[in-house]
Every structure is written in structure tokens, then in C-alpha cells.
Amino acid sequence: MSLPDHHLTEGEVRIRAFHPHWKRLIGPFFALVLIVAGSGAAIYFMPAFEYVLYARAAVAVLAVGLLTVWSFVPYLRWRNTSYVLTSHRFTISTGVLNKSTDDIPMSKVNTVSADQTLMERILGCGTLNVESAGEHGHITLRDIPKLQDVRAELFRALDDAADGEPERR
């Protein structure tokens, strides 16, 4: 996922690789259902008139356009956003057509904190805040699945990096 084995440095071990939580797809899924149901009903119940085929084609084209914008593009963004935690760095990769990759070296991480709303606790996700001694200084990662597990693994990786001996898995 996002960080192939040949991009790992010598002695670097992949600890966890994941996408944002699936809750990001709830809105696009409901949009898909509503657009398909609405356009299907519009095409089926359209009264017969001289240009009914053109009207049905226009509804279909409009539906495909809306599906692309409100369902397919958000799915592609979700699918092409990935987080990879290794023994040496935390990599954030985003982008569908243009790719952006940020690496946070374990040696530069200062503070890690987590926030969860009640709904996020129920769904098992949350927001991870990582402060580093880098150019940006603070990175907020929303909708991290299994937040507490990721946080614990990040702390283990930080401890191992501080000891100078990354844990082998």
C-alpha cells in the first residue's frame, strides 16, 4: 500500500499501512443511492412526448456527472490516501492524479496526541495530531482507523528509534 518494499531503507520495517476510516465514504455512498434512485425514477416515470429519448439521455448524462463528482471522486481520494508507519518514519501519501507524499522521521517527532468525539469512539476512529521539529511543525490526520492501536504502535516506534534499535516483526 503506497510505500513499496523497495522504497524502505536498510533495516526499516513496515509496522502498519492503512487508509482513512471508511466513515469518509458514508456521504458518497448516500449520494450514489440517491442519484441512482432519483435518475432511475425520473427516467421510468417520464411521460411520453416527442423528445423523450433526448430527455432520458439528458437525465442519464446528468446522473453520470453527479455520480462522478459526488461518489467516484471522493472514493478515489479515499482509496489513494494512505498512511504507512515504519520503524524509521511515518509516511502520508495523498492524491489521485498528482501525488503528494510527506515523511515524518521518527527522530523529529516531538508530541503525539489523539482526539475522539463520541461518534468516533463508537466507530473506532479519531484524529491524530503529530508535532515535529520539521518545516510544517504540526500535522493533523483525521479519520484514523483503530486510533489507539496506531498511537500505541507510533509510541513503540518512537521508543525504538530513540533506543537506536528498531523492532523486527
Side-chain angles (χ1 to χ4, degrees):
M1 218 200 279
S2 172
L3 189 65
D5 287 338
H6 66 275
H7 286 182
L8 298 175
T9 61
E10 185 177 333
E12 187 173 16
V13 179
R14 182 182 289 115
I15 298 170
R16 180 182 280 242
F18 53 97
H19 294 289
H21 196 266
W22 56 264
K23 80 173 191 168
R24 285 193 183 179
L25 298 176
I26 293 172
F29 175 75
F30 281 123
L32 174 104
V33 171
L34 288 174
I35 292 167
V36 168
S39 61
I43 290 171
Y44 182 76
F45 291 114
M46 192 172 291
F49 63 98
E50 185 178 352
Y51 299 108
V52 72
L53 291 177
Y54 294 116
R56 287 182 177 157
V59 169
V61 167
L62 181 63
V64 168
L66 291 175
L67 283 173
T68 299
V69 172
W70 289 345
S71 291
F72 188 61
V73 169
Y75 170 76
L76 283 178
R77 283 189 186 132
W78 174 82
R79 186 75 179 122
N80 288 295
T81 299
S82 65
Y83 307 114
V84 179
L85 178 61
T86 71
S87 57
H88 293 117
R89 58 188 158 160
F90 190 53
T91 301
I92 302 123
S93 179
T94 59
V96 177
L97 298 176
N98 298 327
K99 200 70 161 171
S100 174
T101 303
D102 291 323
D103 290 323
I104 304 170
M106 289 298 159
S107 61
K108 300 288 184 189
V109 174
N110 294 333
T111 307
V112 176
S113 64
D115 297 316
Q116 287 180 300
T117 63
L118 177 62
M119 186 56 69
E120 288 174 336
R121 289 185 70 191
I122 292 169
L123 293 173
C125 65
T127 301
L128 187 69
N129 297 301
V130 180
E131 289 187 29
S132 66
E135 183 179 316
H136 301 291
H138 182 83
I139 295 177
T140 300
L141 307 169
R142 299 191 193 306
D143 301 327
I144 301 296
K146 299 180 183 177
L147 178 66
Q148 297 306 328
D149 293 343
V150 171
R151 189 169 178 241
E153 288 174 344
L154 182 57
F155 280 128
R156 265 187 240 114
L158 287 170
D159 286 342
D160 291 342
D163 294 342
E165 298 178 18
E167 182 181 313
R168 297 260 177 203
R169 292 188 187 205

